[in-house]
Amino acid sequence: MSDTTNLLDDFLDLEPFAKQVDRDPRTVRRWMDKPDGLPYTRIGNRILVHVPTAREWIFGRMRHPAPRRQRANSTA
């Protein structure tokens, strides 16, 4: 069987992932430590982030602005 795909192709180590999202590795570690934090896995001493899952996690935290309130008509 000649499968050329690597099992870890979709994973990045902590530092390259932090660089890709333009954040310090300490910030990414804080994301991981939150109760509903960034999913990751460990293999030995390596911290690996699954990029497609991280993308979903980031999109899940998107905020939408509150709708503007309509002004009350001042016709008294």
Side-chain angles (χ1 to χ4, degrees), residues 6-74:
N6 183 354
L7 180 64
L8 299 178
D9 279 347
D10 291 336
F11 288 84
L12 284 176
D13 284 297
L14 176 65
E15 286 78 15
F17 177 79
K19 188 173 185 174
Q20 191 172 53
V21 295
D22 196 27
R23 294 292 178 260
D24 191 270
R26 291 176 297 173
T27 300
V28 176
R29 284 179 185 269
R30 281 194 297 271
W31 292 350
M32 293 172 175
D33 289 341
K34 291 185 175 202
D36 188 28
L38 177 67
Y40 68 97
T41 190
R42 282 187 180 267
I43 297 180
N45 289 333
R46 291 175 65 187
I47 295 175
L48 299 170
V49 178
H50 185 245
V51 176
T53 303
R55 187 176 293 118
E56 288 178 27
W57 183 83
I58 291 169
F59 286 151
R61 272 129 193 89
M62 288 181 65
R63 295 181 183 204
H64 303 282
R68 290 181 170 229
R69 292 186 189 179
Q70 299 233 348
R71 288 183 144 180
N73 290 337
S74 58

